[in-house]
Amino acid sequence: MTELNKIALKIISNGKGILAADESNGTMTKRLEAVNVNSTPENRLLFREILFSSKGMKDYIGGVILYDETINQTSSSGKSIPELISNSGAVPGIKVDTGAKNLANSPEEKITEGLDGLRDRLKIYYDLGARFTKWRGVYSIGEKYPSKLAMNCNAHALARYSALVQESGMVPIVEPEVLMDGNHSSEVCLKKTSEVIKKCFEELILHKVDLSGIILKPNMILAGNLSKNKISSEEISLKTLECLKDSVPNEVPGIAFLSGGQSEIEATENLNFINKNNNTNFIMTYSYGRALQQSALKVWSKDIKDSEVTQNIFNHRAEMCTLAAQGKWSIELENK
Ligand code: 13P
């Protein structure tokens, strides 16, 4: 077993999942302003530190993805943030892409940037304690989209990123996110997501990336958010499994889904069905941002100094997601 494979398994084994707390300052500002909290570096740290020091971290969270601002911050106890996370038993991770920009010659689509100078930035993050990283490619579904151009260049960037990350001794999370925006059917989502993921692996293999030392972070297979033909959790799980079985090489140790705009309960229930029906060798867990933090953020905004109620909400959410990652979640446990 390689060192990278060991790190990947430490993050996602035994029902543990990933807390994606890597919102850029722009995105975090939107989230905080939506609940009437000022988006200052202190407030961003305050909320995140409350999550990172909650009891649920030890039992449920195997890894935390940080943003550049947070990985450089110091907790109220004087420990660095990566230290606080490591002390809970979770692995600190870092988002290293610098965001999605309009793609030249297909400006309705995006290409993720951040490769220039990446090798040097990775060294700094490793020294700060990070042992895994994230890079998100984003694709929208439309009649002509995602185009071959968007699929090729995002897969190329994800592969170059992954090779550099492994060279630096860290595990890359490969995140090709096919957005749920639109009125497309789940069949279309299945077809396009399969194409996107296959292209990614073609490039990862070309770039000699060790597939046993990555974690794939895909979307689930859903009908578009504007579609009238929504499908059940059971169908979502079967289509998602069909897609991944067909497009992900066996060496990949695990898959950690993004929540992508699903509600907390939807993201939990769908993951639960995926694990109940899992007929693959892949570990199937979560790497949720909104679906782990939404309720906690709402409650916290009412009194930002009261950490206890926020932590209770977060602990419950993380526990439910971890049950779902083992196919053991139920609505009764949810409402208990
Ligand atoms: P969501 O779970 O809110 O989609 O966030 C996950 C993530 O890391 C997106 O890049």
Side-chain angles (χ1 to χ4, degrees):
M1 195 190 281
T2 65
E3 199 49 43
L4 293 175
N5 182 246
K6 260 192 229 161
I7 298 171
L9 289 174
K10 177 171 158 77
I11 298 170
I12 57 175
S13 293
N14 305 319
K16 286 192 176 182
I18 300 170
L19 167 60
D22 60 322
E23 298 86 357
S24 65
N25 286 348
T27 302
M28 198 57 185
T29 296
K30 277 190 220 144
R31 303 264 153 86
L32 291 177
E33 287 178 350
V35 293
N36 298 315
V37 175
N38 271 340
S39 183
T40 59
E42 294 74 27
N43 284 347
R44 292 193 286 269
L45 176 63
L46 186 59
F47 177 65
R48 286 165 166 159
E49 193 181 337
I50 288 173
L51 302 187
F52 304 160
S53 34
S54 63
K55 242 180 37 239
M57 287 286 297
K58 186 172 140 291
D59 294 324
Y60 313 126
I61 303 297
V64 178
I65 318 174
L66 300 167
Y67 182 60
D68 179 72
E69 176 181 83
T70 325
I71 200 170
N72 285 293
Q73 283 172 320
T74 305
S75 69
S76 52
S77 65
K79 287 189 191 114
S80 75
I81 293 296
E83 215 182 329
L84 179 67
I85 292 167
S86 300
N87 287 349
S88 76
V91 181
I94 179 77
K95 185 225 299 288
V96 301
D97 69 63
T98 55
K101 307 285 156 48
N102 288 346
L103 175 59
N105 291 331
S106 189
E108 287 184 57
E109 298 190 284
K110 303 278 183 204
I111 175 69
T112 302
E113 296 189 345
L115 288 172
D116 287 352
L118 181 58
R119 182 179 268 133
D120 297 332
R121 287 195 292 126
L122 292 172
K123 252 190 217 108
I124 296 170
Y125 289 138
Y126 187 96
D127 290 343
L128 286 169
R131 290 296 176 270
F132 76 105
T133 64
K134 178 189 118 171
W135 179 291
R136 172 176 174 260
V138 56
Y139 310 80
S140 43
I141 294 186
E143 211 177 302
K144 292 180 288 182
Y145 304 131
S147 66
K148 203 168 172 196
L149 175 62
M151 284 196 268
N152 281 359
C153 58
N154 275 298
H156 174 84
L158 276 163
R160 281 188 58 199
Y161 141 82
S162 298
L164 283 165
V165 169
Q166 290 192 335
E167 179 192 270
S168 73
M170 296 189 278
V171 167
I173 290 192
V174 175
E175 181 180 9
E177 177 175 7
V178 180
L179 297 170
M180 61 152 76
D181 303 347
N183 58 9
H184 53 268
S185 66
S186 56
E187 281 78 22
V188 170
C189 178
L190 171 59
K191 181 170 173 282
K192 306 269 182 177
T193 303
S194 299
E195 277 177 50
V196 162
I197 294 178
K198 280 182 183 159
K199 188 70 208 171
C200 286
F201 280 104
E202 195 184 310
E203 286 287 327
L204 288 165
I205 290 165
L206 186 65
H207 287 253
K208 303 188 168 62
V209 171
D210 169 10
L211 298 183
S212 74
I214 72 162
I215 296 170
L216 179 69
K217 176 164 172 167
N219 50 287
M220 294 179 192
I221 303 301
L222 311 167
N225 58 353
L226 303 175
S227 165
K228 295 200 180 70
N229 300 313
K230 293 270 164 15
I231 58 171
S232 67
S233 287
E234 173 79 17
E235 288 171 289
I236 289 169
S237 73
L238 296 177
K239 284 203 160 72
T240 302
L241 288 164
E242 182 189 337
C243 170
L244 296 170
K245 219 176 159 174
D246 182 47
S247 42
V248 183
N250 280 331
E251 300 96 296
V252 174
I255 292 171
F257 294 97
L258 57 95
S259 62
Q262 299 178 71
S263 72
E264 291 176 344
I265 305 289
E266 279 168 343
T268 310
E269 186 171 17
N270 292 339
L271 179 63
N272 191 54
F273 273 94
I274 288 171
N275 278 290
K276 271 183 181 296
N277 293 325
N278 190 0
N279 53 356
T280 72
N281 290 325
F282 305 124
I283 293 172
M284 301 274 187
T285 187
Y286 57 93
S287 175
Y288 291 164
R290 285 161 287 182
L292 271 176
Q293 299 182 67
Q294 224 157 41
S295 299
L297 182 66
K298 223 177 188 172
V299 162
W300 174 73
S301 70
K302 301 212 172 84
D303 178 359
I304 66 171
K305 298 277 180 253
D306 183 356
S307 55
E308 198 181 323
V309 351
T310 307
Q311 290 183 332
N312 288 341
I313 301 273
F314 175 71
N315 290 339
H316 179 67
R317 202 64 261 130
E319 184 185 2
M320 291 303 112
C321 287
T322 283
L323 285 169
Q326 302 165 93
K328 294 180 182 162
W329 174 88
S330 69
I331 196 71
E332 290 74 33
L333 291 169
E334 180 68 50
N335 295 327
K336 213 159 69 181

